Short mmCIF file of all heavy atoms in Angstrom, two decimals:
data_model
loop_
_atom_site.label_atom_id
_atom_site.label_comp_id
_atom_site.label_asym_id
_atom_site.label_seq_id
_atom_site.Cartn_x
_atom_site.Cartn_y
_atom_site.Cartn_z
N TYR A 139 37.78 -24.07 17.13
CA TYR A 139 38.82 -24.34 16.14
C TYR A 139 38.28 -25.01 14.89
O TYR A 139 39.03 -25.60 14.12
CB TYR A 139 39.93 -25.19 16.78
CG TYR A 139 40.52 -24.50 17.98
CD1 TYR A 139 40.09 -24.83 19.26
CD2 TYR A 139 41.44 -23.49 17.83
CE1 TYR A 139 40.60 -24.17 20.36
CE2 TYR A 139 41.95 -22.82 18.93
CZ TYR A 139 41.52 -23.16 20.19
OH TYR A 139 42.02 -22.50 21.27
N ARG A 140 37.00 -24.88 14.67
CA ARG A 140 36.37 -25.50 13.50
C ARG A 140 36.79 -24.81 12.21
O ARG A 140 37.00 -25.44 11.19
CB ARG A 140 34.85 -25.45 13.66
CG ARG A 140 34.12 -26.27 12.61
CD ARG A 140 32.66 -26.24 12.83
NE ARG A 140 32.35 -27.01 14.04
CZ ARG A 140 31.15 -27.42 14.36
NH1 ARG A 140 30.14 -27.13 13.61
NH2 ARG A 140 30.95 -28.11 15.46
N ASN A 141 36.92 -23.50 12.23
CA ASN A 141 37.29 -22.72 11.04
C ASN A 141 38.63 -22.05 11.25
O ASN A 141 38.74 -21.09 12.02
CB ASN A 141 36.22 -21.66 10.73
CG ASN A 141 34.87 -22.29 10.48
OD1 ASN A 141 34.77 -23.28 9.77
ND2 ASN A 141 33.83 -21.73 11.07
N ILE A 142 39.66 -22.54 10.57
CA ILE A 142 41.01 -21.99 10.70
C ILE A 142 41.53 -21.68 9.30
O ILE A 142 41.42 -22.51 8.39
CB ILE A 142 41.94 -23.00 11.40
CG1 ILE A 142 41.43 -23.27 12.82
CG2 ILE A 142 43.37 -22.48 11.44
CD1 ILE A 142 42.22 -24.33 13.56
N ARG A 143 42.10 -20.50 9.14
CA ARG A 143 42.68 -20.11 7.85
C ARG A 143 43.88 -20.99 7.51
O ARG A 143 44.48 -21.61 8.39
CB ARG A 143 43.13 -18.65 7.92
CG ARG A 143 42.01 -17.68 8.21
CD ARG A 143 42.54 -16.26 8.22
NE ARG A 143 43.54 -16.04 9.25
CZ ARG A 143 43.28 -15.63 10.48
NH1 ARG A 143 42.04 -15.40 10.84
NH2 ARG A 143 44.26 -15.44 11.35
N SER A 144 44.26 -21.02 6.26
CA SER A 144 45.38 -21.86 5.84
C SER A 144 46.71 -21.40 6.44
O SER A 144 47.63 -22.20 6.59
CB SER A 144 45.48 -21.87 4.32
OG SER A 144 45.75 -20.57 3.83
N ASN A 145 46.83 -20.11 6.79
CA ASN A 145 48.07 -19.63 7.41
C ASN A 145 48.01 -19.72 8.94
O ASN A 145 48.87 -19.19 9.63
CB ASN A 145 48.39 -18.20 6.97
CG ASN A 145 47.32 -17.20 7.38
OD1 ASN A 145 46.20 -17.58 7.71
ND2 ASN A 145 47.66 -15.93 7.34
N GLY A 146 47.01 -20.41 9.47
CA GLY A 146 46.90 -20.64 10.91
C GLY A 146 46.28 -19.46 11.63
O GLY A 146 45.96 -18.44 11.04
N LEU A 147 46.11 -19.63 12.94
CA LEU A 147 45.66 -18.54 13.80
C LEU A 147 46.19 -18.79 15.20
O LEU A 147 46.65 -19.89 15.52
CB LEU A 147 44.13 -18.41 13.79
CG LEU A 147 43.25 -19.58 14.18
CD1 LEU A 147 43.05 -19.66 15.67
CD2 LEU A 147 41.90 -19.38 13.51
N TYR A 148 46.14 -17.76 16.02
CA TYR A 148 46.64 -17.90 17.39
C TYR A 148 45.60 -18.61 18.25
O TYR A 148 44.46 -18.20 18.31
CB TYR A 148 47.00 -16.54 17.97
CG TYR A 148 48.33 -16.06 17.46
CD1 TYR A 148 48.42 -15.22 16.36
CD2 TYR A 148 49.51 -16.48 18.06
CE1 TYR A 148 49.63 -14.81 15.88
CE2 TYR A 148 50.74 -16.08 17.58
CZ TYR A 148 50.79 -15.24 16.49
OH TYR A 148 52.02 -14.84 16.01
N ALA A 149 46.03 -19.68 18.91
CA ALA A 149 45.14 -20.49 19.74
C ALA A 149 45.24 -20.07 21.20
O ALA A 149 44.33 -20.33 21.97
CB ALA A 149 45.49 -21.96 19.60
N ILE A 150 46.37 -19.48 21.60
CA ILE A 150 46.59 -19.07 22.98
C ILE A 150 47.53 -17.87 22.98
O ILE A 150 48.45 -17.79 22.17
CB ILE A 150 47.17 -20.23 23.83
CG1 ILE A 150 47.32 -19.81 25.30
CG2 ILE A 150 48.47 -20.73 23.26
CD1 ILE A 150 47.70 -20.96 26.23
N GLU A 151 47.27 -16.93 23.84
CA GLU A 151 48.13 -15.76 24.01
C GLU A 151 49.23 -16.14 24.99
O GLU A 151 48.95 -16.61 26.09
CB GLU A 151 47.31 -14.59 24.57
CG GLU A 151 48.05 -13.31 24.68
CD GLU A 151 48.21 -12.60 23.34
OE1 GLU A 151 47.34 -12.76 22.47
OE2 GLU A 151 49.21 -11.90 23.20
N LEU A 152 50.49 -15.96 24.60
CA LEU A 152 51.63 -16.34 25.44
C LEU A 152 52.43 -15.12 25.85
O LEU A 152 52.55 -14.16 25.08
CB LEU A 152 52.55 -17.31 24.69
CG LEU A 152 51.95 -18.66 24.32
CD1 LEU A 152 52.89 -19.41 23.40
CD2 LEU A 152 51.67 -19.47 25.56
N GLU A 153 53.00 -15.18 27.07
CA GLU A 153 53.92 -14.14 27.48
C GLU A 153 55.20 -14.29 26.67
O GLU A 153 55.46 -15.34 26.07
CB GLU A 153 54.21 -14.28 28.98
CG GLU A 153 52.98 -14.04 29.83
CD GLU A 153 53.21 -14.35 31.30
OE1 GLU A 153 54.37 -14.63 31.68
OE2 GLU A 153 52.24 -14.32 32.05
N GLU A 154 56.04 -13.28 26.67
CA GLU A 154 57.24 -13.27 25.82
C GLU A 154 58.19 -14.43 26.11
O GLU A 154 58.78 -14.99 25.20
CB GLU A 154 57.97 -11.94 25.99
CG GLU A 154 58.99 -11.69 24.92
CD GLU A 154 59.53 -10.28 24.97
OE1 GLU A 154 58.72 -9.34 25.01
OE2 GLU A 154 60.76 -10.15 24.96
N ASP A 155 58.33 -14.83 27.36
CA ASP A 155 59.28 -15.89 27.72
C ASP A 155 58.60 -17.26 27.89
O ASP A 155 59.19 -18.18 28.44
CB ASP A 155 60.02 -15.53 29.00
CG ASP A 155 59.07 -15.42 30.19
OD1 ASP A 155 57.87 -15.18 29.98
OD2 ASP A 155 59.53 -15.57 31.34
N ASP A 156 57.38 -17.40 27.40
CA ASP A 156 56.62 -18.65 27.59
C ASP A 156 56.45 -19.37 26.26
O ASP A 156 56.49 -18.75 25.19
CB ASP A 156 55.24 -18.33 28.19
CG ASP A 156 54.63 -19.50 28.93
OD1 ASP A 156 55.28 -20.55 29.02
OD2 ASP A 156 53.49 -19.36 29.40
N HIS A 157 56.27 -20.69 26.33
CA HIS A 157 56.05 -21.51 25.14
C HIS A 157 54.98 -22.55 25.42
O HIS A 157 54.90 -23.08 26.52
CB HIS A 157 57.34 -22.24 24.73
CG HIS A 157 58.44 -21.32 24.32
ND1 HIS A 157 58.47 -20.69 23.11
CD2 HIS A 157 59.54 -20.91 24.99
CE1 HIS A 157 59.55 -19.94 23.04
NE2 HIS A 157 60.20 -20.05 24.17
N LEU A 158 54.19 -22.86 24.42
CA LEU A 158 53.18 -23.91 24.53
C LEU A 158 53.89 -25.25 24.49
O LEU A 158 54.72 -25.50 23.61
CB LEU A 158 52.20 -23.79 23.37
CG LEU A 158 51.04 -24.78 23.34
CD1 LEU A 158 50.11 -24.56 24.52
CD2 LEU A 158 50.27 -24.65 22.04
N ILE A 159 53.61 -26.13 25.48
CA ILE A 159 54.28 -27.43 25.50
C ILE A 159 53.34 -28.58 25.14
O ILE A 159 53.78 -29.59 24.62
CB ILE A 159 54.93 -27.73 26.87
CG1 ILE A 159 53.90 -27.70 27.98
CG2 ILE A 159 56.07 -26.79 27.13
CD1 ILE A 159 54.28 -28.54 29.15
N GLU A 160 52.04 -28.42 25.39
CA GLU A 160 51.14 -29.55 25.15
C GLU A 160 49.71 -29.06 24.99
O GLU A 160 49.30 -28.08 25.62
CB GLU A 160 51.20 -30.54 26.30
CG GLU A 160 50.46 -31.83 26.06
CD GLU A 160 50.99 -32.63 24.90
OE1 GLU A 160 52.01 -33.31 25.05
OE2 GLU A 160 50.36 -32.59 23.82
N VAL A 161 48.96 -29.77 24.15
CA VAL A 161 47.52 -29.55 23.99
C VAL A 161 46.88 -30.93 23.99
O VAL A 161 47.29 -31.81 23.23
CB VAL A 161 47.19 -28.82 22.67
CG1 VAL A 161 45.69 -28.64 22.53
CG2 VAL A 161 47.92 -27.50 22.58
N ARG A 162 45.90 -31.13 24.84
CA ARG A 162 45.21 -32.42 24.94
C ARG A 162 43.72 -32.19 24.92
O ARG A 162 43.23 -31.15 25.36
CB ARG A 162 45.58 -33.16 26.23
CG ARG A 162 47.02 -33.58 26.31
CD ARG A 162 47.29 -34.69 25.34
NE ARG A 162 48.67 -35.15 25.47
CZ ARG A 162 49.04 -36.39 25.31
NH1 ARG A 162 48.15 -37.32 25.03
NH2 ARG A 162 50.29 -36.72 25.41
N GLN A 163 42.98 -33.17 24.44
CA GLN A 163 41.53 -33.10 24.47
C GLN A 163 41.04 -33.65 25.79
O GLN A 163 41.51 -34.70 26.24
CB GLN A 163 40.98 -33.92 23.31
CG GLN A 163 39.51 -33.71 23.08
CD GLN A 163 39.07 -34.34 21.78
OE1 GLN A 163 39.65 -34.11 20.74
NE2 GLN A 163 38.02 -35.15 21.86
N VAL A 164 40.15 -32.91 26.45
CA VAL A 164 39.58 -33.36 27.72
C VAL A 164 38.06 -33.31 27.64
O VAL A 164 37.49 -32.56 26.87
CB VAL A 164 40.06 -32.50 28.93
CG1 VAL A 164 41.55 -32.63 29.13
CG2 VAL A 164 39.66 -31.06 28.78
N GLU A 165 37.46 -34.15 28.46
CA GLU A 165 36.01 -34.17 28.59
C GLU A 165 35.64 -33.64 29.96
O GLU A 165 36.47 -33.67 30.88
CB GLU A 165 35.51 -35.60 28.40
CG GLU A 165 35.79 -36.15 27.02
CD GLU A 165 35.50 -37.64 26.91
OE1 GLU A 165 35.03 -38.24 27.90
OE2 GLU A 165 35.76 -38.19 25.84
N PRO A 166 34.42 -33.16 30.14
CA PRO A 166 34.02 -32.66 31.46
C PRO A 166 34.25 -33.72 32.54
O PRO A 166 33.97 -34.90 32.36
CB PRO A 166 32.53 -32.36 31.29
CG PRO A 166 32.39 -32.06 29.82
CD PRO A 166 33.36 -32.97 29.14
N GLY A 167 34.83 -33.30 33.67
CA GLY A 167 35.09 -34.19 34.79
C GLY A 167 36.43 -34.89 34.76
O GLY A 167 36.81 -35.56 35.71
N GLN A 168 37.17 -34.75 33.68
CA GLN A 168 38.46 -35.41 33.57
C GLN A 168 39.53 -34.60 34.32
O GLN A 168 39.47 -33.38 34.37
CB GLN A 168 38.84 -35.55 32.09
CG GLN A 168 39.89 -36.57 31.82
CD GLN A 168 39.99 -36.87 30.33
OE1 GLN A 168 39.46 -36.16 29.49
NE2 GLN A 168 40.69 -37.94 30.01
N HIS A 169 40.50 -35.28 34.90
CA HIS A 169 41.57 -34.61 35.62
C HIS A 169 42.77 -34.37 34.71
O HIS A 169 42.93 -35.03 33.68
CB HIS A 169 42.01 -35.45 36.83
CG HIS A 169 41.03 -35.39 37.95
ND1 HIS A 169 41.40 -35.41 39.26
CD2 HIS A 169 39.67 -35.30 37.96
CE1 HIS A 169 40.34 -35.34 40.03
NE2 HIS A 169 39.27 -35.29 39.25
N VAL A 170 43.62 -33.40 35.09
CA VAL A 170 44.81 -33.05 34.34
C VAL A 170 46.01 -33.13 35.27
O VAL A 170 45.94 -32.71 36.43
CB VAL A 170 44.70 -31.62 33.75
CG1 VAL A 170 45.99 -31.19 33.09
CG2 VAL A 170 43.53 -31.54 32.77
N LEU A 171 47.11 -33.69 34.78
CA LEU A 171 48.35 -33.82 35.54
C LEU A 171 49.41 -32.95 34.88
O LEU A 171 49.65 -33.06 33.67
CB LEU A 171 48.80 -35.29 35.53
CG LEU A 171 50.10 -35.62 36.25
CD1 LEU A 171 49.93 -35.47 37.74
CD2 LEU A 171 50.53 -37.04 35.90
N LEU A 172 50.03 -32.05 35.66
CA LEU A 172 51.14 -31.22 35.20
C LEU A 172 52.39 -31.67 35.94
O LEU A 172 52.36 -31.90 37.14
CB LEU A 172 50.90 -29.74 35.50
CG LEU A 172 49.81 -29.03 34.72
CD1 LEU A 172 49.62 -27.61 35.25
CD2 LEU A 172 50.12 -29.00 33.25
N VAL A 173 53.53 -31.76 35.21
CA VAL A 173 54.80 -32.20 35.81
C VAL A 173 55.88 -31.20 35.42
O VAL A 173 55.96 -30.79 34.26
CB VAL A 173 55.18 -33.61 35.32
CG1 VAL A 173 56.48 -34.06 35.95
CG2 VAL A 173 54.07 -34.60 35.63
N SER A 174 56.73 -30.84 36.40
CA SER A 174 57.80 -29.87 36.14
C SER A 174 59.15 -30.56 35.99
O SER A 174 59.31 -31.73 36.34
CB SER A 174 57.86 -28.84 37.28
OG SER A 174 58.53 -29.38 38.39
N ALA A 175 60.13 -29.82 35.48
CA ALA A 175 61.49 -30.35 35.28
C ALA A 175 62.15 -30.73 36.60
O ALA A 175 62.96 -31.65 36.64
CB ALA A 175 62.34 -29.33 34.53
#
């Protein structure tokens, strides 16, 4: 993501009924927690 045009670019391909909810920076070995409604 170092070079991005001013009009943006697609960072992730999503299915039609899906939405991006969060983006976090992680380092190798770090754990991730997902929580549902």
Side-chain angles (χ1 to χ4, degrees):
Y139 301 98
R140 189 177 290 195
N141 300 316
I142 298 175
R143 299 181 299 269
S144 63
N145 62 342
L147 58 85
Y148 282 94
I150 183 172
E151 185 77 30
L152 296 171
E153 296 172 7
E154 195 170 310
D155 63 336
D156 204 2
H157 296 283
L158 182 65
I159 59 154
E160 188 62 79
V161 179
R162 295 290 183 145
Q163 191 170 308
V164 296
E165 296 171 3
Q168 199 167 13
H169 286 215
V170 174
L171 179 69
L172 291 174
V173 180
S174 79

